Amino acid sequence: MAHDLPPLNALRAFEATARLNSVSQAAEALHVTHGAVSRQIKVLEEHLGVALFVKDGRGIKLTDAGVRLRDASGEAFDRLRSVCTELSRDVSEAPFVLGCSGSLLARWFIPRLGRLKADLPELRLHLSAGEGDLDPRRPGLDALLVYAEPPWPADMQVHVLAEERIGPVLSPHFAGFDRLRDAPAKALLDEALLHTTSRPQAWPTWAGQQGLDPAGLQYGQAFEHLYYLLEAAVAGLGVAIAPQPLVADDLRAGRLSAPWGFSPTRAALALWVPRRAADGRAEQLAQWLRRELERQAA
């Protein structure tokens, strides 16, 4: 009848002691006490029913059984170390695939790729754009950068980066700019507002926060994605609405203006990482994203 394998900790203690020919050195290598190693070796000898070491003056030496187990366990642990090193190298050398919306990619991420590569030169990042069809649970994605409202999915490790703040923006080239820039928010009830079909609740959410009746909003040209919506706003075609980070560079450059500021929503910008696949690169990227958002807001 086959025996179960001995406890792994006992085998590790034996392998280290046999390799170093010293209980004290094994204890130091394993970051445990001398007594802990001795106890594990005793557990192993009792499990096998044979002595593995005998006293040799002030030291110890292997018995014949101990020599056999040293050779087998040494080979096994060497192979395990080698495979673990290979696996770690494979993970570290593989690109980290980040999914995000095309709008977020084009208007926020791409302008910062140079700084990301300078700050995190060892992170091989591959960006995958999509609109509502990206799911890090599927093979091919390591994480998702997304604006979303809680509750968060239970199978995701969610790194919350910043609360979402949205607001209306318009270009100084817009025909109604001089009339609107000092007007109260209710003046937008008379405008044909640019909007996006990918997020139809953006304008009603903002209007409700300003004490305006969302039913009184008027809509003009619709765009499929936020990127096109904001390009239309920059071109002076009307008033759009957007998350602050996606227009911050345009505001700083004077391409857009936000006369009514930005208001928080229930959503947040967050990095979603499947718990089954979380690794140190995700935490590293999340920390960089937070710093970059803070730098932009400063």
Side-chain angles (χ1 to χ4, degrees):
M1 181 176 177
H3 290 285
D4 291 334
L5 281 173
L8 181 58
N9 282 341
L11 281 172
R12 288 182 69 232
F14 167 78
E15 188 274 337
T17 303
R19 173 165 45 87
L20 299 169
N21 198 36
S22 167
V23 173
S24 298
Q25 291 183 41
E28 183 176 348
L30 297 175
H31 305 290
V32 296
T33 65
H34 183 287
V37 172
S38 296
R39 286 192 295 273
Q40 290 295 340
I41 291 174
K42 185 176 181 181
V43 166
L44 184 58
E45 290 178 327
E46 290 177 351
H47 181 93
L48 298 174
V50 295
L52 299 172
F53 293 99
V54 293
K55 289 186 176 296
D56 182 26
R58 299 183 64 181
I60 57 173
K61 72 175 182 178
L62 289 161
T63 64
D64 290 343
V67 170
R68 291 176 60 191
L69 187 59
R70 177 200 62 192
D71 294 344
S73 63
E75 181 180 347
F77 276 100
D78 284 345
R79 180 59 181 153
L80 282 171
R81 292 186 190 99
S82 176
V83 170
C84 289
T85 298
E86 291 172 5
L87 291 175
S88 297
R89 185 184 302 118
D90 289 344
V91 170
S92 63
E93 293 180 355
F96 187 86
V97 184
L98 175 66
C100 63
S101 72
S103 306
L104 186 56
L105 176 61
R107 297 193 63 85
W108 194 85
F109 219 116
I110 287 177
R112 290 163 176 79
L113 272 180
R115 190 150 56 234
L116 173 63
K117 291 179 180 179
D119 293 345
L120 303 177
E122 296 180 358
L123 177 63
R124 292 183 57 204
L125 186 66
H126 178 79
L127 296 165
S128 179
E131 300 291 342
D133 58 348
L134 296 172
D135 189 341
R137 300 176 184 86
R138 299 174 184 171
L141 278 186
D142 293 306
L144 178 66
L145 183 63
V146 62
Y147 278 107
E149 295 184 4
W152 315 120
D155 59 348
M156 291 289 160
Q157 181 180 6
V158 177
H159 301 270
V160 177
L161 306 173
E163 69 173 1
E164 182 186 50
R165 298 177 65 84
I166 62 172
V169 293
L170 67 165
S171 167
H173 300 299
F174 176 53
F177 179 77
D178 289 336
R179 172 174 49 83
L180 290 174
R181 63 179 176 177
D182 295 319
K186 66 180 182 180
L188 292 182
L189 296 177
D190 298 324
E191 295 295 317
L193 304 171
L194 304 178
H195 61 107
T196 173
T197 56
S198 63
R199 192 166 179 190
Q201 289 304 309
W203 274 117
T205 297
W206 178 83
Q209 291 174 332
Q210 309 306 311
L212 305 176
D213 182 2
L217 295 170
Q218 303 179 54
Y219 296 105
Q221 179 68 51
F223 296 87
E224 185 177 2
H225 301 308
L226 181 60
Y227 176 78
Y228 305 131
L229 173 75
L230 294 178
E231 288 299 302
V234 170
L237 300 183
V239 184
I241 190 164
Q244 187 175 14
L246 272 63
V247 294
D249 293 341
D250 296 291
L251 295 174
R252 190 173 291 112
R255 291 186 293 267
L256 290 174
S257 178
W260 303 278
F262 296 87
S263 302
T265 72
R266 292 188 62 249
L269 181 62
L271 186 68
W272 290 12
V273 186
R275 292 189 182 278
R276 57 171 173 75
D279 65 48
R281 295 175 299 172
E283 178 64 37
Q284 190 179 36
L285 178 59
Q287 291 177 2
W288 183 87
L289 289 167
R290 286 194 190 96
R291 291 196 303 269
E292 198 61 26
L293 287 162
E294 290 169 358
R295 178 189 303 181
Q296 185 184 50

